[in-house]
Amino acid sequence: MRIFYSVLIIVLLLSNIILGSGSSPFFHLTPQGIVKGEDVNFEVMLTPENSTIYDLYLFYRQLGEGDYNTVKMDRVGYFYNATLLTDQFVTGQIEYYFGYEGELGEIGTLPDMSPQTNPFVMRVAPVSYTH
């Protein structure tokens, strides 16, 4: 499944580069199908043209909270990963964005514009109990 996901990301990334429809040095898909209590993996892929990113951070909060929490992401090749435990969240939505530091003091975010007020949103489903 991981190979399929990686191939899908590469295909979408290449189509994005060919069409020239984005200036972001990253590619990210919002995690889907998350149930409260499960771990969720956030993955970001660098584009080959911009592999000079040194640190990438995940900023996240539960919908309605004021402040974002921060996790430094781990890098393996062109991929950055971070895992969150969802049992700490009340069922609902998690807002998040990414911030990075690059060479020569370059900083940026994903999404590019107003990430704190226009973050990615991930839904967390309630736990299903069967009797």
Side-chain angles (χ1 to χ4, degrees), residues 84-96:
L84 291 180
L85 305 174
T86 60
D87 57 357
Q88 64 182 326
F89 299 103
V90 175
T91 300
Q93 297 178 345
I94 298 172
E95 297 177 319
Y96 69 96

Side-chain angles (χ1 to χ4, degrees), residues 45-113:
M45 183 178 141
L46 290 172
T47 60
E49 306 81 46
N50 199 346
S51 60
T52 58
I53 302 301
Y54 296 130
D55 291 314
L56 188 68
Y57 298 89
L58 169 66
F59 295 86
Y60 68 94
R61 69 180 178 190
Q62 185 170 283
L63 183 66
E65 288 184 342
D67 295 328
Y68 283 89
N69 299 300
T70 307
V71 172
K72 184 175 179 182
M73 299 181 76
D74 297 321
R75 183 174 182 175
V76 178
Y78 284 107
F79 290 89
Y80 278 92
N81 295 293
T83 301
L84 291 180
L85 305 174
T86 60
D87 57 357
Q88 64 182 326
F89 299 103
V90 175
T91 300
Q93 297 178 345
I94 298 172
E95 297 177 319
Y96 69 96
Y97 68 94
F98 303 97
Y100 66 87
E101 297 175 16
E103 67 180 356
L104 303 175
E106 173 191 11
I107 59 171
T109 61
L110 179 66
D112 297 332
M113 302 298 291

Side-chain angles (χ1 to χ4, degrees), residues 17-30:
I17 291 170
I18 290 169
L19 296 175
S21 63
S23 60
S24 176
F26 305 108
F27 183 77
H28 167 70
L29 292 174
T30 301

Side-chain angles (χ1 to χ4, degrees), residues 9 11 34-35 38 43 48 65 77 87-88 95 124 127:
I9 287 175
V11 168
I34 305 303
V35 176
E38 294 180 344
E43 187 171 72
E65 288 184 342
D87 57 357
Q88 64 182 326
E95 297 177 319
V124 179
V127 176

